[in-house]
Amino acid sequence: MSHHIVEVKNLRHVYPDGTIAIIDVSFRITHGESVAIIGANGAGKSTLLQHLNGCLEPTGGDILIGDTPLSKSTLPDIRRTVGMLFQNPDDQLFMPTVFDDVAFGPLNLGLTVEHIEKRVADALDLVGAGHLRDKPPYHLSGGEKKRVAIATVLAMSPDILVMDEPTSGLDPFARRQLMNLLRGFHHTKIFTSHDLDMVLELCGRTIILHEGLIMADAPTAEIFRNEELLSACRLEKPLSMQGCPLCRQTPST
Amino acid sequence: MISINAAIIDLKRLELLAGRYSPIHVLDARVKVLVTLVFIVSVVSFGRYELVRLLPFFIFPAVMIPLANLPTLYLARKIALLSPFVLMVGLFNPVFDRNALYQFGQLGISGGWISLASLLIRSLLTVGAAFILVGTTGFTSVCQAVERLGIPRIFAVQLLFLHRYIFVLADETGTAARARELRSCGKRGLGVVSFGSQMGHLLLRTWQRAERIHTAMLARGFVGEFHSHRQSRFGVSELCFLLGWLSLFIALRYYDIPGALGEFVTGTAP
Ligand SMILES: Nc1ncnc2c1ncn2[C@@H]1O[C@H](COP(=O)(O)OP(=O)(O)OP(=O)(O)O)[C@@H](O)[C@H]1O
Ligand SMILES: [Mg+2]
């Protein structure tokens, strides 16, 4: 299915205040790929992701989802295809209760009321937040908010998952749960993360973004072995590749 | 500034009440909107010196609150919060309007005082009715109902966003106030100058936040249509509810029932 291809051509983004967040970025992600976009704080990762479902308008360049170029007229369809998790869950949750919030997307997709109940329950169970359904989102802990935000995206069963730091703020168990969940999601997924161990486990391909430019785009294992590149981009190896801090042994990779 | 935060959370509680179940909650939102509207219009349309004839209207909250299982004390406190504003509006009535309207022996009660009291009662009734509506229906459903009653969608959407924006503004004010408090070490911060810039900053922040939330809504397929997972139809109970209240309000508006009652009890014509 060519529907799940994400192509970015010469993307450039300048914020209204003149900050050039993305200078020139191009890549093509094909169906079923799992791609990590990593880079230092302020490298432009969130800015890049927000273009993928039209939350930000490019200053220059094009974005194609499947064969469809992203434009005003195709936007509703593209937003149905691309599920987007924002970095800050507070931006994502706006309804009075968790249930209403998760139901918001499916209701907009035109699902009938009988189906909604199950959709919402399933999505909440997937992230282990079933017990929160009647709580107001603003009464949740940070990690709980994150999980509910993830549920709101999953409930729409998107073809392409785009997530901005999905594991930040999650406890180890919830993080593991989410990673298993993502591994089971066989469509295209793209996410940014500072959790490099997760990147190592989940993503076959990694793109390094540095000051608005792509510094590397290669298989993950290859990238994490290139220490020079990593340190030039304010990154380092995943902890699991750094050896045991107690016995100071480097693993043989 | 814990108090600001607490007040906001408290306000949001009203919205949460709408998630409960009760004979009133399950009614179609449209009839509730209609009844509330007629109630407000009948109360407001009385003359400015009317007092006694407003009192029977308290039957509406008195019946609705227990039926809908709403927390009386909470609602009372919310309404009481508004009374200072009403007092401010009506404060000068007693000063300017000194015509004695009632005479109890030597003591004359001026029209100003009466109109102030009337204003107070009216605001109590109308605000109470609005709170009951939101507390039993939820704001989204109210907007949806307004649209289904024939108001252009654009207005309904505006209404919804205004409501959301108030919460966003309140949220941001709360966090900004806390951040300021924590770093001003018990003093009053940097005074008026920093306060001004903070207000500007706050507006920008809320604007951006509101925009981000709007994006999040769009990202989840929002195209300006309302959906509610509570299915409702216009059935028999809706019809009874509507006709019952409407006939009562209209009767109370056009016939002087307290007067007639007094006449009946004392046996004298005025
Ligand atoms: N609304 C905005 N207006 C102006 N500049 C912005 C805006 N949002 C972000 N920037 C700037 O754009 C650059 C890229 O920001 P972005 O949020 O994409 O970084 P990021 O890679 O997601 O970082 P992090 O890892 O901290 O999340 C930063 O220099 C930031 O200061
Ligand atoms: Mg970011």
Side-chain angles (χ1 to χ4, degrees), chain A residues 43-74:
Chain A
K45 305 180 295 294
S46 299
T47 310
L48 171 60
L49 286 201
Q50 284 180 53
H51 282 87
L52 298 183
N53 73 341
C55 291
L56 286 179
E57 233 175 291
T59 312
D62 294 300
I63 292 155
L64 277 94
I65 306 289
D67 306 317
T68 336
L70 203 153
S71 71
K72 251 212 163 76
S73 57
T74 58

Side-chain angles (χ1 to χ4, degrees), chain A residues 40-47 50 87 164-165 192 194:
Chain A
N41 290 140
K45 305 180 295 294
S46 299
T47 310
Q50 284 180 53
Q87 184 165 3
D164 201 347
E165 307 207 10
T192 73
H194 296 297

Side-chain angles (χ1 to χ4, degrees), chain B residues 150-218:
Chain B
I151 307 287
R153 172 178 295 168
I154 181 108
F155 291 118
V157 176
Q158 283 293 329
L159 205 62
L160 184 75
F161 280 139
L162 184 70
H163 172 252
R164 289 265 165 268
Y165 185 70
I166 289 172
F167 280 134
V168 171
L169 183 69
D171 258 356
E172 292 287 340
T173 317
T175 36
R178 187 171 59 185
R180 180 188 157 96
E181 177 120 317
L182 287 177
R183 276 186 284 164
S184 54
C185 306
K187 293 189 209 80
R188 285 228 226 88
L190 292 173
V192 185
V193 181
S194 92
F195 186 74
S197 78
Q198 271 200 345
M199 286 316 283
H201 188 65
L202 193 69
L203 269 180
L204 283 177
R205 257 175 47 163
T206 42
W207 178 258
Q208 277 195 339
R209 172 105 190 275
E211 202 146 78
R212 284 199 303 268
I213 288 179
H214 183 223
T215 326
M217 294 174 84
L218 292 178

